Amino acid sequence: TEFEILKAVHHRYILNCHELFETQQCIWEGMEKINGGELLELLIEGGVYTERDAARAMKQAFLAIQYLHSQGVVHRDLKLQNMLLTEKERTSDLKVCDFGLSAQIPRGALDWGDRDAVKAYRGLSDKWGTPQYFAPEMLWKAYGPQVDLWALGVVLFQLLVGRLPFHSTSNSELFRQIERSPDHLKKLFAM
């Protein structure tokens, strides 16, 4: 699936694959050159982002995810480590990478032009990705593209606050925190 996705997607804010070569022993990927490293590294080195810098990075991430979703791709493992920077500066372009856990939604399964249908889609059920970035729907094993948007919310929190919003030494406690979060968020925004 990863190689099919790499061959099919081409976007300014997605790490582009220029060539794939396959031998009996190996698969070689000719990828776009990136000099800035992971977004996580820059966050660790330079501290939390200003709202302006975070907004710039998130706009690029959302544009990349909007494109992926329009192509029927759900990333499922969005995190700071899977976002690269073209240069070692906060103002450089961001590139979403690592499609090893991505899923392709069959073309006829969803009308991508109907926003309500996309929000309502629940055709995926595997728990893939990094637990700290799981959306509640992923834990309920009935989800769709919306899990990528949740993960981007976790990324934004990290950029602005410098830590993950949910953390625990056990996955079961972490998952309880995530599952309770929609009710907690509703209360916060109702005030």
Side-chain angles (χ1 to χ4, degrees):
T1 302
E2 181 174 10
F3 295 119
E4 290 174 24
I5 292 169
L6 285 172
K7 285 189 245 179
V9 298
H10 304 283
H11 190 271
R12 177 178 177 181
Y13 301 122
I14 295 173
L15 183 65
N16 289 297
C17 177
H18 298 300
E19 295 287 337
L20 283 172
F21 303 98
E22 191 172 350
T23 67
Q24 289 190 0
Q25 292 84 18
C26 300
I27 296 177
W28 300 86
E29 300 172 89
M31 305 297 286
E32 178 178 9
K33 184 177 180 184
I34 301 295
N35 296 318
E38 296 174 359
L39 191 54
L40 176 64
E41 294 168 354
L42 197 61
L43 181 65
I44 291 169
E45 290 171 12
V48 295
Y49 272 45
T50 64
E51 287 182 24
R52 182 185 192 112
D53 289 342
R56 185 179 191 289
M58 293 308 297
K59 179 180 181 182
Q60 293 174 8
F62 278 111
L63 288 170
I65 296 312
Q66 178 186 27
Y67 171 77
L68 287 174
H69 291 176
S70 76
Q71 301 301 304
V73 176
V74 181
H75 191 283
R76 299 198 296 190
D77 197 24
L78 288 169
K79 56 186 176 181
L80 292 175
Q81 296 92 323
N82 288 339
M83 296 181 183
L84 305 176
L85 294 167
T86 55
E87 301 296 330
K88 227 170 185 28
E89 300 171 13
R90 290 178 184 230
T91 57
S92 66
D93 282 348
L94 178 139
K95 301 277 186 169
V96 173
C97 67
D98 192 353
F99 295 89
L101 300 178
S102 297
Q104 288 182 300
I105 296 174
R107 278 283 171 208
L110 190 55
D111 175 7
W112 290 94
D114 181 352
R115 293 170 90 161
D116 291 332
V118 173
K119 287 180 186 176
Y121 183 80
R122 301 282 187 268
L124 299 173
S125 60
D126 298 332
K127 282 199 302 192
W128 291 105
T130 304
Q132 291 84 354
Y133 296 82
F134 280 3
E137 294 88 349
M138 190 174 277
L139 299 173
W140 304 328
K141 295 187 175 188
Y143 64 92
Q146 67 276 16
V147 298
D148 287 342
L149 301 179
W150 176 277
L152 287 180
V154 173
V155 167
L156 176 59
F157 186 93
Q158 282 183 279
L159 291 177
L160 294 174
V161 179
R163 65 172 178 81
L164 288 160
F166 310 105
H167 43 83
S168 178
T169 55
S170 75
N171 276 350
S172 58
E173 175 55 30
L174 175 69
F175 295 160
R176 272 194 294 279
Q177 291 175 17
I178 292 170
E179 285 182 308
R180 284 193 309 259
S181 64
D183 293 331
H184 178 67
L185 292 172
K186 285 178 193 172
K187 289 176 189 173
L188 281 176
F189 290 111
M191 294 180 176

